[in-house]
Amino acid sequence: MDSLITAAARALAAGDPLGALNRVALRDDAPALALRGIAMAQLGDLDRARTLIRSAGRAFGTRQAVARARCVVAEAEIAFVSRDLGWPAKTLHAARMTLEQHGDWVNAAHARYLEARRLLLIGRLDAAEAELANFDPAPLPPALRTAHDLVVAGIAMRRLRTRQAREALTRAKLAARQAGIPALAAEVESAMRILDTPAARLITGGCERPVLLDEVEALQTSKAFLVDACRHVVRDAEKGASLARRPVLFALVRALGETWPGDVTRDELVARAFGAKSADESHRARLRVEMGRLRAILRGMAAVNATRRGFALVPRRAGDVLVLARPVEEKYAAVLAFLSDGEAWSSSALALALGASQRTVQRALDELALAAKVQFFGRGRARRWVTPPVPSFATTLLLPAPLP
């Protein structure tokens, strides 16, 4: 490796893409193309970066397996930052195996973290956790230790393990400071702010207040009867039941929980559960049927008693009824939640992350665009969606440059 390539690689490893470009911008050999691609990615020009990385991969040739594998990892990271979640994960895994076989443990570890972050993003927490199981990040450079702890913290937050998440983010902050990469430090700070941002609303006795993630975690082990509108479950200290596939029943129990210890009128229950503006006899008959089903599911946890006006919830063991609701509730809240990460998403990536059809997601995006809640750029397959205003910087690329 000549001196300019070495200097450019060191500049990239230190988070200085402009310094790297000053050394290799006019060169078209394979190592220079790869370094230029990584530099352009760090500067945010992902389309140009992808083109350069692919050109470098072709230029290295079949005999330079390690260099080609590094290009695959770089392209995979560009796909991740572009939220192209349909990028072939098997290709990335094969590149990681090649790097491990040739002793390039640093880039192999980075490929592992990319796999884990993708799995985390699409909600496959068990698989993401398995990627990191029995893997020691201590020998790795600070930037990769930061990546490791960001994934650990992300999994912990999704599993409501706030203490573990805080410990991981504290380690990530220290490692990012050692790496000396400002964009990386900013990513850690952004993750840390999540723990101090309201994660849900707690509704009880007709009043509501915002709660942080650690309070949400504490509620999961409380002795109260909890109606969790974030996960669509109901539980007390001894039992629980999921109503994720029973939206009508969940709407009923939530309405009863929000009004506890009072009762809810039949007309209001019909409106909440069936969306009817006024209740006729058919609605009332259906309400009686659904209440019978709800009583069967809540048996042992709570009773649903008929009153003169409607129905009331009566917990069996708990002395209090709590309703945990999302901080923002609207028709397409889940779509907005993914777009709030500041990245530009394709509709296909959103569909994969949400577990919905692409057509359903596209209809949601069109309605949100009409309401000026999202924006798009590009056309056709290149169209990407963001929430306004567009963030001033994208997620930093953590690919360590190959050093001699």
Side-chain angles (χ1 to χ4, degrees), residues 92-378:
L92 175 59
H93 186 74
R96 178 182 133 194
M97 293 297 102
T98 298
L99 294 169
E100 289 181 353
Q101 290 165 8
H102 288 81
D104 187 354
W105 303 109
V106 172
N107 282 298
H110 184 65
R112 179 191 298 270
Y113 296 143
L114 284 177
E115 291 180 88
R117 293 183 78 171
R118 178 183 177 275
L119 291 167
L120 173 62
L121 197 62
I122 61 177
R124 295 179 58 188
L125 303 187
D126 290 339
E129 222 163 18
E131 286 292 341
L132 305 185
N134 303 317
F135 184 78
D136 181 14
L140 297 175
L144 277 182
R145 295 203 306 273
T146 305
H148 176 92
D149 286 317
L150 281 172
V151 179
V152 171
I155 295 171
M157 282 189 271
R158 293 284 290 274
R159 293 198 185 280
L160 295 179
R161 301 170 184 165
T162 52
R163 180 178 177 180
Q164 183 181 346
R166 289 186 188 279
E167 291 173 351
L169 288 174
T170 300
R171 294 193 302 270
K173 185 175 182 179
L174 177 61
R177 188 181 299 124
Q178 293 172 348
I181 303 175
L184 184 56
E187 186 174 1
V188 176
E189 291 293 335
S190 177
M192 295 185 80
R193 282 195 294 271
I194 295 175
L195 295 176
D196 298 316
T197 302
R201 291 176 296 125
L202 183 62
I203 306 170
T204 180
C207 302
E208 69 174 64
R209 64 178 179 87
V211 291
L212 303 180
L213 197 64
D214 52 1
E215 295 178 87
V216 175
E217 180 184 10
L219 287 172
Q220 304 304 313
T221 57
S222 72
K223 295 183 179 181
F225 180 84
L226 179 66
V227 181
D228 188 343
C230 300
R231 292 170 175 76
H232 293 87
V233 299
V234 293
R235 51 161 297 277
D236 64 7
E238 297 183 14
K239 292 182 61 178
S242 173
L243 295 175
R245 297 182 181 274
R246 308 291 292 274
V248 170
L249 297 187
F250 187 81
L252 292 173
V253 73
R254 177 174 176 176
L256 295 169
E258 289 178 353
T259 313
W260 181 88
D263 61 354
V264 188
T265 66
R266 289 172 176 81
D267 286 353
E268 185 177 348
L269 288 169
V270 165
R272 291 282 294 269
F274 311 137
K277 295 182 179 179
S278 59
D280 56 25
E281 197 55 41
S282 66
H283 288 125
R284 292 176 184 272
R286 185 183 175 192
L287 179 62
R288 288 192 295 271
V289 171
E290 298 295 349
M291 279 300 180
R293 292 170 176 163
L294 182 60
R295 288 189 180 101
I297 289 176
L298 299 183
R299 185 174 295 118
M301 291 185 287
V304 179
N305 295 341
T307 66
R308 185 177 60 83
R309 299 190 323 138
F311 294 89
L313 187 69
V314 182
R316 297 291 192 191
R317 290 178 290 267
D320 201 3
V321 175
L322 308 175
V323 177
L324 190 65
R326 294 177 179 178
V328 177
E329 290 190 290
E330 60 173 78
K331 187 176 181 181
Y332 301 119
V335 175
L336 290 173
F338 276 102
L339 291 175
S340 67
D341 69 355
E343 302 299 340
W345 287 73
S346 66
S347 59
S348 59
L350 283 169
L352 179 61
L354 289 165
S357 71
Q358 188 171 350
R359 185 68 193 108
T360 297
V361 171
Q362 190 61 57
R363 284 196 297 266
L365 290 169
D366 289 341
E367 290 191 33
L368 289 170
L370 287 174
K373 294 181 179 179
V374 300
Q375 298 172 344
F376 68 86
F377 58 89

